[in-house]
Amino acid sequence: MKLSKRTVMLVATGVTGAMVLSACGGDSDSGGGESASGEGRVVFGEATDWPENLFPLISAGNATSTADIEAELLPQTYEIQPDFTVQWNDEFLTEEPTSEVVGDSQTVTYSINPDAVWSDGTPITADDFEFSWRMQRSSDPATGGCPALLSTSGYDQMTAVEGADEGKTVTVTYSPPFADWQSSFAGNNSPVFPAHLMDKDTPEALCESISTGWPIADGLPGDISGGPWQLKKENINVGQQIVVLTPNENYWGEKPQLAQLVIQGIGNDPTTAVQGLSSGELNVIYPQPQLDLVDQVQGLEPNVTSEINFGLSFEHLDFNTTDPILSDVNVRKAFALALDRQEIVDQTVGQFSSDAQVLNNHIWKNNQPEYQDNAPAEYNAADPEGAKALLQQSGWAPGPDGIFTKGGQRLSIRIDTTANNPLRQTTIEVMIPQLAAAGIEATFNANPDIFAGPDKPTSLIAGGFQAALFAWVGNPFVSSQPPIYQQVVGDAVGQNYSRIGTPEIDALFDQLMVTPEREQQVEITNQIDTLLWDQMGTLPLYQKPTFIAYTSNIEGVEDNPTQAGPLWNASTWTVQ
């Protein structure tokens, strides 16, 4: 089945008032928006699904588009670099944070810049750190937590967050020590949040606020910012899928070089992206690469610069283990045995990068030094006969057309994925005949609600799917892994959409969280990875390439193929 491509009309140049400056990127003499600290504007074409929610701690806000919009909105203690390292934020903090471990206790100290204030003039202090901890320390309502949270890693090991020096010195205590302490209050998925606008009188009221999040039409609370950019509600156009970031006039550090950064949803249609770059209506794009798009963009040189990189994201299948069919591990393993993952790579990302290869680790990526191939040998090539044998062990038998049945039920699995994504559609189209050869019927389903909240029954977090094809956008922190693979407790699904896990895996993750030595971390994570292969709740396919392209009049663009994303340094961009 073929998806019809969605053609998007680029409207950024036609919006008036505060939404844009002018039709030409280099001018700043028309339209609204603060431009005192920058000149010109850049239009970024957002190729992923347009966000419904801007709160990054819940499933509804767990989207690449949300991360792109908020890359430089809220303060972060550490920032992820393009080479996968992390650096302390020397504009937010006056010195590198310190960590001291004594026995079973760890103390981390942050020194906030005395000039650091929120965009409304309120000082950023230890109160904001304490609130950010209290908001994320538990997902259990019985302990004042909120099940809507995607992760509590690190925050659940904090025992105190205290301030001194008028709140500009922050002391965080962990017990037991947290190996990945640099991930706390860091990154665009877990920054420091404004206590004066978000705190509530009771844990129940706070949880209700967390669960609601920040619907995009409402923007951020009080249009708040603690970074170089600011997003004002008046600069959000939900219908046209446009947001316009303007300089935060109360930012104490180096203000943006641009007057406006326009983020416009364009979908993953190659025609829209290429025409937009060619006409100058788009200045920067960061789509999921596909052969025709890469070829067409490269044909725009030298007016357009482009590059392919491999970051910390990976494409994978999640199997819903609560589904009546996929609750049987033999069926999940048969599905995996039926696939020729090398052919999938060859027919998709291998078409435009010879560096693309099959991924055989759930935690480490092919270009990380910690990577180890832990996949059982039987998954290195398609084995339809082995898949059939597993199905027969579970009582399935081939039907007249070769598709297995059991108790009158056909072995048919719907594979959900994101809408308007030709690369993922191709991936599933390659899978379908491979699976059919093993007696498994598979169908393609573009699910527009795949990343929606629990109110959408077919979303990942609601569990209304069988198998799902999507990507995890990664970071260098090992603490980002437990929410994906630890057992679900109560209503707190976190990011474990397969609903799988074991006490042994949980215990290893608990050990990982208190192990600071990298060699020991690698040993523990590879033990976990081996167990995950046996569980077969998630099947890795390949490390995802990134593709960035920008017009030659834009300077400062640098791909960050991690969770930080392409707009991680957009405040330093200039228009020539």
Side-chain angles (χ1 to χ4, degrees):
M1 180 177 65
K2 294 285 186 182
L3 274 178
S4 60
K5 292 184 176 180
R6 180 172 70 97
T7 301
V8 178
M9 181 171 293
L10 296 175
V11 294
T13 56
V15 182
T16 59
M19 294 298 290
V20 299
L21 288 174
S22 71
C24 299
D27 297 327
S28 59
D29 57 357
S30 65
E34 290 82 2
S35 59
S37 55
E39 290 187 9
R41 69 181 174 95
V42 166
V43 181
F44 173 78
E46 179 57 64
T48 66
D49 291 343
W50 194 248
E52 296 180 0
N53 203 289
L54 295 176
F55 191 52
L57 303 184
I58 61 175
S59 60
N62 185 32
T64 299
S65 50
T66 296
D68 287 341
I69 291 169
E70 298 183 348
E72 293 188 290
L73 285 185
L74 299 175
Q76 308 168 30
T77 55
Y78 280 86
E79 298 173 316
I80 303 171
Q81 304 300 302
D83 63 357
F84 308 161
T85 62
V86 293
Q87 293 183 8
W88 64 280
N89 185 342
D90 61 3
E91 290 190 335
F92 182 38
L93 307 173
T94 58
E95 58 187 58
E96 186 172 2
T98 61
S99 171
E100 181 181 9
V101 177
V102 178
D104 292 333
S105 182
Q106 177 185 21
T107 301
V108 176
T109 303
Y110 302 93
S111 298
I112 305 174
N113 191 317
D115 297 328
V117 296
W118 296 103
S119 53
D120 61 6
T122 303
I124 302 175
T125 69
D127 291 344
D128 300 303
F129 281 72
E130 190 276 337
F131 165 73
S132 298
W133 160 55
R134 182 161 33 87
M135 178 171 58
Q136 300 176 73
R137 64 184 174 182
S138 174
S139 58
D140 184 359
T143 60
C146 188
L149 291 169
L150 291 174
S151 174
T152 60
S153 292
Y155 297 99
D156 57 1
Q157 292 173 227
M158 294 181 189
T159 57
V161 176
E162 301 169 309
D165 303 323
E166 298 182 340
K168 290 297 183 176
T169 298
V170 184
T171 302
V172 177
T173 304
Y174 295 90
S175 183
F178 180 42
D180 241 357
W181 62 270
Q182 291 173 318
S183 67
S184 299
F185 313 109
N188 51 12
N189 65 324
S190 184
V192 177
F193 292 93
H196 69 292
L197 292 176
M198 294 182 63
D199 204 359
K200 303 297 180 183
D201 293 334
T202 66
E204 293 77 14
L206 180 58
C207 183
E208 182 179 356
S209 175
I210 291 169
S211 302
T212 301
W214 301 335
I216 187 170
D218 298 332
L220 275 65
D223 291 340
I224 202 66
S225 170
W229 290 110
Q230 184 173 9
L231 175 60
K232 297 182 178 181
K233 182 178 178 180
E234 66 190 44
N235 286 344
I236 299 172
N237 189 314
V238 176
Q240 295 179 334
Q241 296 192 350
I242 295 174
V243 300
V244 180
L245 305 183
T246 54
N248 171 8
E249 295 301 314
N250 277 329
Y251 187 60
W252 61 94
E254 184 175 346
K255 290 186 172 66
Q257 301 298 301
L258 301 169
Q260 292 185 334
L261 175 62
V262 180
I263 301 175
Q264 171 160 10
I266 63 170
N268 208 36
D269 177 18
T271 301
T272 302
V274 173
Q275 290 181 350
L277 282 178
S278 181
S279 67
E281 292 176 281
L282 295 176
N283 302 112
V284 184
I285 61 170
Y286 200 68
Q288 180 162 277
Q290 45 192 297
L291 185 59
D292 55 347
L293 172 63
V294 171
D295 287 345
Q296 290 182 60
V297 170
Q298 290 176 344
L300 298 177
E301 298 177 352
N303 296 323
V304 172
T305 299
S306 65
E307 61 181 65
I308 293 174
N309 296 296
F310 283 84
L312 298 181
S313 302
F314 74 101
E315 196 83 349
H316 68 282
L317 280 164
D318 260 21
F319 300 111
N320 185 351
T321 61
T322 66
D323 177 78
I325 293 176
L326 291 167
S327 61
D328 185 345
V329 67
N330 278 353
V331 175
R332 302 195 300 270
K333 289 184 174 181
F335 192 114
L337 281 175
L339 296 181
D340 184 338
R341 291 182 296 145
Q342 184 60 57
E343 183 183 7
I344 293 171
V345 170
D346 293 342
Q347 296 299 318
T348 55
V349 289
Q351 295 282 310
F352 47 78
S353 176
S354 59
D355 293 328
Q357 54 188 307
V358 171
L359 178 66
N360 281 330
N361 195 300
H362 294 77
I363 296 173
W364 304 107
K365 311 309 175 291
N366 302 86
N367 59 350
Q368 290 183 282
E370 298 88 351
Y371 178 79
Q372 179 175 307
D373 184 342
N374 294 318
E378 57 264 31
Y379 297 122
N380 288 335
D383 183 7
E385 296 308 314
K388 291 177 181 178
L390 281 178
L391 293 174
Q392 288 171 335
Q393 286 179 21
S394 289
W396 294 87
D401 60 354
I403 301 301
F404 277 64
T405 63
K406 181 180 179 181
Q409 182 178 25
R410 191 174 177 84
L411 181 47
S412 182
I413 298 172
R414 187 188 71 241
I415 306 175
D416 283 16
T417 192
T418 51
N420 301 304
N421 194 311
L423 195 70
R424 289 186 173 137
Q425 179 174 341
T426 299
T427 298
I428 296 173
E429 288 172 347
V430 174
M431 289 180 180
I432 288 173
Q434 295 177 354
L435 292 164
I440 302 171
E441 181 179 65
T443 56
F444 167 88
N445 182 50
N447 181 358
D449 294 329
I450 191 168
F451 296 126
D455 58 312
K456 301 291 186 179
T458 62
S459 68
L460 291 171
I461 197 165
F465 71 99
Q466 289 185 289
L469 175 69
F470 63 103
W472 287 122
V473 183
N475 61 54
F477 303 117
V478 293
S479 58
S480 63
Q481 301 298 322
I484 301 174
Y485 301 117
Q486 280 189 316
Q487 294 179 99
V488 173
V489 178
D491 295 329
V493 174
Q495 295 166 286
N496 186 355
Y497 301 132
S498 66
R499 276 81 170 166
I500 205 165
T502 67
E504 185 179 2
I505 291 174
D506 288 359
L508 285 169
F509 272 124
D510 290 343
Q511 182 183 349
L512 179 66
M513 293 300 97
V514 298
T515 303
E517 296 80 11
R518 195 61 157 183
E519 287 185 6
Q520 293 183 37
Q521 288 182 350
V522 173
E523 181 180 345
I524 295 169
T525 52
N526 282 311
Q527 290 180 51
I528 293 170
D529 184 53
T530 300
L531 294 171
L532 291 174
W533 281 103
D534 190 55
Q535 290 272 285
M536 194 50 72
T538 295
L539 176 65
L541 297 179
Y542 52 79
Q543 181 181 10
K544 280 181 66 68
T546 60
F547 180 60
I548 194 166
Y550 52 95
T551 53
S552 58
N553 65 325
I554 309 300
E555 292 189 357
V557 177
E558 182 181 5
D559 185 14
N560 191 326
T562 73
Q563 202 170 55
L567 302 182
W568 72 288
N569 71 336
S571 61
T572 67
W573 295 358
T574 58
V575 177
Q576 303 304 310

